[in-house]
Amino acid sequence: MSTATAELQAAGIGPGQLREDYLLCRALHAHHGRTYYTATRVLPPERRPGVHALYGFARWVDDIVDEPGPELTTGDQRARLDAIDADLHRVFTGGEPGEPVLRALAHTVRRYDLPRDYFTAFMASMRMDLAVPAYRDLAHLREYMYGSAAVIGLQVLPVLGTTVPREAAAPHAAALGEAFQLTNFLRDVAEDLRRGRIYLPADVLADHGVDRALLEHCASTRTPDPRARRAVADLVGINQEFYRQAEPGIAMLAPVASPCVATAFRLYRAILDEITAADFDVWSVRHRVSDGRKLAAAVPAFARALWARSVPRPRTAT
């Protein structure tokens, strides 16, 4: 039996269309989110499909916005988002959505009783990507990141389980979503510029004499300017604060789930270590965590997760 089949069987998802829908989400997660996918392997098998469905949905919609293909216009992209909204309405009103990814999402939403507001906020941020090319300050960027990242942490929280009331863990889960996304923004400055977007707050950039033209010069020449390095250094400091806000939440998770999030936490934060070690150069190389470092983080986490599964514990809070 394959690992994927074992996960779905453990989650009570038998052979049939729904299983195929979940497998698609799993493939999207494995392809697009390799760091977090590695961490997810630490979870008990029955909890993995829910995470795959949530991440797969987010990546699927994000690809409609970021990778539309040359034949699609912005109007076409908005029409696709409108169609997804209509399918999401079916998800939350007991109907059957037409898209495979949304069928898996519907099953996860109903299984874990996830609120519609999270998905409304997510879709609003996806629409911002079609209209907002830059963000004036951190507060403006966080409006975007709430829907695109913080709510992902909040969606996953019921799947993982907590040992405290969920509302106590929620701010830390939201902060972790923002921490992960800001790390991505710092790593992917050049890639985002090619899409016409700047996710680094304009006021922080301006404090160091950085504007779009300078960023584009750095990206096109793959050569960091000292002013741009200093701006990135400032933003790495801001990013580290998000990680500090998120870290206490790891201990609030169910013992079988906390090693997964601790692994993701370490691996994503390690990207900031790579950026810092490169003297804040995010133009000449795309920073990533090596497979060896991922393995070194995942193996002890897997051992802790196995130990947690073997020890009888009180029922976790929800």
Side-chain angles (χ1 to χ4, degrees):
M1 181 187 299
S2 70
T3 300
T5 300
E7 291 171 359
L8 292 163
Q9 188 166 302
I13 302 164
Q17 184 60 59
L18 184 61
R19 176 173 285 191
E20 297 303 314
D21 298 338
Y22 269 102
L23 287 173
L24 175 59
C25 291
R26 188 180 192 271
L28 285 167
H29 191 179
H31 178 70
H32 288 290
R34 289 186 292 272
T35 298
Y36 190 46
Y37 179 78
T38 298
T40 304
R41 299 298 296 274
V42 177
L43 283 174
E46 69 274 8
R47 301 196 189 200
R48 295 175 202 164
V51 177
H52 295 325
L54 291 166
Y55 192 94
F57 166 73
R59 284 306 319 189
W60 176 66
V61 178
D62 197 57
D63 278 353
I64 291 169
V65 173
D66 284 349
E67 307 289 346
E71 72 284 357
L72 291 182
T73 66
T74 301
D76 294 329
Q77 291 171 285
R78 290 196 176 99
R80 290 289 308 278
L81 295 182
D82 289 343
I84 292 168
D85 272 332
D87 249 354
L88 281 172
H89 178 73
R90 295 183 188 96
V91 168
F92 287 96
T93 56
E96 179 71 10
E99 294 282 355
V101 169
L102 281 161
R103 289 195 296 266
L105 180 74
H107 183 265
T108 292
V109 162
R110 292 162 190 167
R111 180 172 187 172
Y112 295 101
D113 193 25
L114 302 179
R116 185 171 185 168
D117 288 353
Y118 294 163
F119 298 90
T120 301
F122 173 76
M123 294 300 292
S125 286
M126 294 302 97
R127 283 187 168 81
M128 287 178 73
D129 270 332
L130 299 179
V132 181
Y135 293 85
R136 60 183 175 269
D137 52 31
L138 184 61
H140 190 202
L141 180 63
R142 290 190 74 182
E143 289 177 27
Y144 171 79
M145 291 201 301
Y146 174 75
S148 64
V151 296
I152 306 299
L154 296 172
Q155 290 167 8
V156 171
L157 197 55
V159 182
L160 301 178
T162 61
T163 57
V164 299
R166 195 179 302 163
E167 58 270 21
H172 304 291
L176 189 59
E178 290 185 278
F180 286 169
Q181 184 155 72
L182 187 51
T183 299
N184 285 339
F185 290 160
L186 288 165
R187 180 191 61 191
D188 297 335
V189 175
E191 182 179 333
D192 291 329
L193 276 166
R194 286 193 293 272
R195 297 185 175 118
R197 302 184 201 135
I198 299 174
Y199 290 108
L200 308 184
D203 62 338
V204 176
L205 297 177
D207 285 345
H208 297 280
V210 178
D211 57 13
R212 179 182 287 269
L214 181 60
L215 291 178
E216 289 176 343
H217 173 75
C218 291
S220 65
T221 62
R222 296 172 62 87
T223 304
D225 180 278
R227 292 165 291 177
R229 288 184 191 268
R230 289 193 291 271
V232 170
D234 254 11
L235 289 163
V236 166
I238 291 169
N239 202 168
Q240 292 286 14
E241 179 57 30
F242 282 128
Y243 281 106
R244 283 189 286 272
Q245 292 171 16
E247 191 167 15
I250 297 173
M252 300 177 183
L253 297 173
V256 294
S258 60
C260 163
V261 177
T263 300
F265 182 97
R266 284 195 295 274
L267 291 177
Y268 259 92
R269 206 174 195 180
I271 296 171
L272 291 187
D273 295 339
E274 297 291 329
I275 292 172
T276 301
D279 194 20
F280 308 103
D281 171 12
V282 292
W283 291 275
S284 66
V285 63
R286 187 178 189 271
H287 296 284
R288 59 184 294 274
V289 180
S290 69
D291 291 341
R293 191 165 183 177
K294 289 179 184 177
L295 188 64
V299 168
F302 186 66
R304 290 194 300 276
L306 287 176
W307 171 253
R309 292 177 217 174
S310 70
V311 177
R313 294 178 183 271
R315 186 181 181 88
T316 57
T318 55

